[in-house]
Amino acid sequence: MSNPNIEKNALFKLSYGMYVLTAEDEGKDNGCIINTCIQVAEDPTTVVIAVNKGGFTHDMIAKTKKFNVSVLDESTPMEVFEHFGFQSGKNVNKFESPVYGAKKSENGIYYLSEHINAYLSGYVTEMIDLGTHTLFIATVVKAQKLADTAGATYDFYSKNIKPAPSPKAKGWVCKICGYVYEGEELPADFICPWCKHPASDFEKLV
Ligand SMILES: Cc1cc2nc3c(=O)[nH]c(=O)nc-3n(C[C@H](O)[C@H](O)[C@H](O)COP(=O)(O)O)c2cc1C
């Protein structure tokens, strides 16, 4: 439900990093893009991740309680966001062929070794239901730096990686991922098929 007191453009001023969140369950590997991972405590070293309940990675982590986070750097091409963020492991095997130097860490879960500067492995200690998302609170069991490159922030992704919509495109564009809905009116309950964000994150193309 949209709240007139909440300007979406104010929330876009928050800073985020960009990550590939990976999981493994009964031999099945999967991963998705998230921008919501922060360290929240030092001892024990604790991070939180917020994951949309509609995603397959969400269900895998809720079941297995473990995950890896690969920290994307500024060299990351759009294909990485498309591969992990615009399709679901419910329909495709994102690790069918070797992707972006994927390697398994000690917990049996893939992390990427290309376009990332670090990865960490988390073990979930608490799950909080936040409506659209689950907040997973996790103890970090491994963290390794892989490069000195600058991490890609959400702002960097928006300005330098995400392609601008074609000047010929008509309709509504998702401000998060660039998906274009072709149509005069965007349904109020529309959910972006690529990144799962709601209609309020779309703007009309003029
Ligand atoms: C730029 C970008 C940021 C995203 N941030 C998040 C996020 O913070 N949390 C989340 O659950 N999904 C996020 N997504 C959406 C998921 O990556 C997407 O829905 C993915 O297809 C889910 O795949 P899965 O079903 O295999 O888990 C983001 C996608 C993009 C492109």
Side-chain angles (χ1 to χ4, degrees):
M1 174 110 32
S2 83
N3 179 338
N5 291 322
I6 297 176
E7 270 184 43
K8 277 280 179 160
N9 285 342
L11 296 173
F12 285 137
K13 296 294 181 198
L14 294 173
S15 295
Y16 304 90
M18 301 300 310
Y19 312 97
V20 175
L21 172 69
T22 40
E24 188 273 343
D25 181 27
E26 294 182 8
K28 167 102 180 162
D29 298 291
N30 191 42
C32 71
I33 299 288
I34 61 165
N35 57 276
T36 46
C37 175
I38 54 170
Q39 182 182 352
V40 289
E42 184 61 34
D43 187 16
T45 307
T46 305
V47 293
V48 294
I49 53 170
V51 191
N52 192 297
K53 288 182 192 169
F56 191 47
T57 317
H58 171 277
D59 296 349
M60 295 172 80
I61 296 171
K63 183 179 167 200
T64 63
K65 307 279 188 285
K66 52 189 183 130
F67 62 83
N68 283 347
V69 168
S70 299
V71 183
L72 292 167
D73 73 14
E74 291 183 351
S75 75
T76 309
M78 189 60 201
E79 295 84 72
V80 174
F81 293 92
E82 290 170 355
H83 186 80
F84 288 105
F86 291 5
Q87 53 184 357
S88 176
K90 289 177 182 171
N91 314 311
V92 293
N93 180 357
K94 300 184 197 178
F95 285 96
E96 192 165 25
S97 47
V99 278
Y100 310 111
K103 294 177 187 170
K104 290 232 165 172
S105 58
E106 282 148 41
N107 60 6
I109 301 176
Y110 277 120
Y111 66 96
L112 307 187
S113 69
E114 293 170 12
H115 309 299
I116 74 162
N117 55 22
Y119 83 92
L120 56 89
S121 301
Y123 186 80
V124 176
T125 54
E126 215 174 315
M127 298 195 288
I128 299 175
D129 185 343
L130 297 178
T132 55
H133 290 61
T134 297
L135 188 73
F136 294 99
I137 303 176
T139 301
V140 176
V141 293
K142 166 124 189 170
Q144 196 178 343
K145 188 180 96 171
L146 297 177
D148 274 321
T149 50
T153 61
Y154 206 118
D155 194 50
F156 183 89
Y157 161 78
S158 300
K159 292 182 175 143
N160 302 287
I161 302 176
K162 185 178 76 169
S166 146
K168 289 186 190 148
K170 287 201 176 83
W172 296 77
V173 63
C174 175
K175 288 193 274 186
I176 309 300
C177 68
Y179 172 82
V180 174
Y181 173 88
E182 291 180 10
E184 193 54 33
E185 290 303 324
L186 182 72
D189 59 354
F190 191 76
I191 302 287
C192 178
W194 285 352
C195 72
K196 307 281 189 296
H197 277 246
S200 54
D201 283 327
F202 280 69
E203 65 186 356
K204 199 163 180 23
L205 290 164
V206 285

